[in-house]
Amino acid sequence: MGRRPLLTAAGWLATTVAATLVGLAAIQLVGVGITGTPGGVRDEREVARALASPVTTTPGPEPTAGATPTATAASHPPAAGGARRGFVTGGGTAVAECGPAGVRLVSWSPAQGYRVKDYDRGPDDHVEVRFVGPEGEHELRLRCRGGEPVATPHD
């Protein structure tokens, strides 16, 4: 075997290794900017904690005729002195507030793959929303305690 084929193979191998290393370095430098999440990535517990903390919301427009109740916007201003709070289940999320007439569902939204099976918007002593999907049914029952909405175990 001659010297020329060995030099060609060595040159090809060196070029391939150099190109691969440059490509990996570029992906690492650019990848941080492409996939980086402002404020960092949050795990499920942090998201659940953030959604469970009281939220400030502004009233939205009245739902239009024929609108589906699966994701209803707030149509009334917050009750006087009432606190709003978000809740999360495996089937979806809901926001409720307490007022003089009791607890009221402000909005609710099913998780992907789920739908709203039933809901009681209130105001009443307790309200509920049921989400049904591929992993079963998730019911969220809420009532007021100390002027704040709280989740209650369902029977």
Side-chain angles (χ1 to χ4, degrees):
M1 185 182 235
R3 188 171 185 174
R4 186 172 210 156
L6 286 175
L7 288 174
T8 303
W12 180 84
L13 183 61
T15 303
T16 303
V17 168
T20 302
L21 292 175
V22 168
L24 289 174
I27 288 171
Q28 186 156 3
L29 287 174
V30 175
V32 172
I34 292 173
T35 61
T37 304
V41 176
R42 296 179 182 225
D43 64 20
E44 288 181 35
R45 288 178 296 190
E46 290 174 317
V47 171
R49 195 176 321 120
L51 288 172
S53 65
V55 294
T56 303
T57 58
T58 52
E62 287 286 336
T64 58
T68 176
T70 58
T72 304
S75 57
H76 305 285
R84 283 190 180 179
R85 187 170 176 199
F87 298 88
V88 180
T89 71
T93 61
V95 176
E97 72 178 4
C98 290
V103 64
R104 180 177 72 90
L105 278 176
V106 176
S107 65
W108 55 94
S109 180
Q112 186 157 352
Y114 283 80
R115 64 179 176 80
V116 173
K117 180 178 180 183
D118 190 23
Y119 67 95
D120 174 10
R121 162 176 236 149
D124 205 344
D125 291 336
H126 77 275
V127 294
E128 62 187 31
V129 59
R130 280 189 237 167
F131 304 104
V132 64
E135 294 182 19
E137 189 172 302
H138 297 272
E139 181 178 8
L140 181 61
R141 291 178 53 103
L142 307 168
R143 68 182 186 95
C144 290
R145 182 183 296 153
E148 285 199 27
V150 293
T152 61
H154 42 277
D155 304 324

